[in-house]
Amino acid sequence: MNAASSQIDAVSKAIIEQLQEDGRRPYAAIGKAVGLSEAAVRQRVQKLLDQGVMQIVAVTDPLTVGFRRQAMVGITVEGDIDPVAESLAALDEVEYVVITAGSFDLLVEIVCEDDDHLLEMINKRIRALPGVRSTESFVYLKLRKQTYTWGTR
C-alpha cells in the first residue's frame, strides 16, 4: 500500500470501483453513482491517474492476441534483489514483478508467443541476469480467472 492510498477518500474509492467494473463508463454515469458532477469526476480521475493510484488500460486474453504461453517464474537471487527486479521489469515479456518472502525472492509473470520463446526467456534472458541464482517455472495450462475488480476496501 503506497502513501497515496491512505489519503483516498470514500468518493474517490467509489470512482475507482466504478472504473474497475467498466473502464469505459462515462464520467456522467460515474458522477450520478457517486454524487458528483461530471466535471468533478473528470478532475478526480485525472488526479488519481497523475498520482499513480490507478491506471485505465485494456486487458486482453493473451491467447487471442498471439501469446500462447504464459508462466509464473519463481526466482532466487544472490545479493541485492532490487537490481534484478529492475532488470526483469524492463523486459517486454514480463507482465509483473513481485518481491516476495518465502521460497523465492521474486515472482515474475511472463507472456510468450510459444514454448521456444518461453525457453529463450528463461534460459537466455532471465537466468543470464547477474544475481539470479535459480529459477522455477510454473507454466499456465489454462487461465480460469483474471479480474481486476477487487475494489478498494
Side-chain angles (χ1 to χ4, degrees):
M1 184 160 126
N2 65 29
S5 66
S6 63
Q7 300 171 348
I8 298 172
D9 65 13
V11 175
S12 291
K13 287 181 179 182
I15 290 169
I16 292 168
E17 289 172 357
Q18 290 281 312
L19 289 168
Q20 283 181 324
E21 289 175 13
D22 180 357
R24 298 182 309 154
R25 184 165 288 156
Y27 291 148
I30 295 170
K32 186 174 182 180
V34 302
L36 292 178
S37 70
E38 179 179 350
V41 170
R42 186 181 315 279
Q43 280 185 323
R44 283 189 182 237
V45 167
Q46 191 58 54
K47 183 177 179 184
L48 292 165
L49 293 169
D50 291 345
Q51 291 175 335
V53 173
M54 69 175 190
Q55 300 174 30
I56 300 172
V57 299
V59 178
T60 62
D61 175 351
L63 288 173
T64 65
V65 292
F67 297 102
R68 295 188 318 270
R69 182 58 67 214
Q70 289 179 269
M72 181 69 63
V73 181
I75 301 168
T76 53
V77 174
E78 288 180 339
D80 191 357
I81 296 170
D82 287 332
V84 178
E86 288 175 24
S87 295
L88 290 164
L91 298 173
D92 289 338
E93 293 87 348
V94 172
E95 291 301 307
Y96 70 82
V97 177
V98 182
I99 297 172
T100 65
S103 299
F104 302 106
D105 297 309
L106 298 164
L107 288 176
V108 178
E109 183 179 45
I110 56 178
V111 177
C112 299
E113 295 166 12
D114 54 29
D115 287 338
D116 288 336
H117 187 196
L118 176 63
L119 178 59
E120 189 252 323
M121 283 299 302
I122 293 168
N123 198 39
K124 304 275 191 223
R125 303 198 46 214
I126 294 173
R127 288 182 178 160
L129 290 172
V132 171
R133 183 172 19 151
S134 66
T135 64
E136 185 172 345
S137 302
F138 304 89
V139 175
Y140 298 2
L141 299 176
K142 183 179 262 189
L143 185 60
R144 281 285 188 192
K145 180 177 182 180
Q146 180 179 17
T147 64
Y148 300 93
T149 56
W150 53 80
T152 57
R153 295 188 192 104

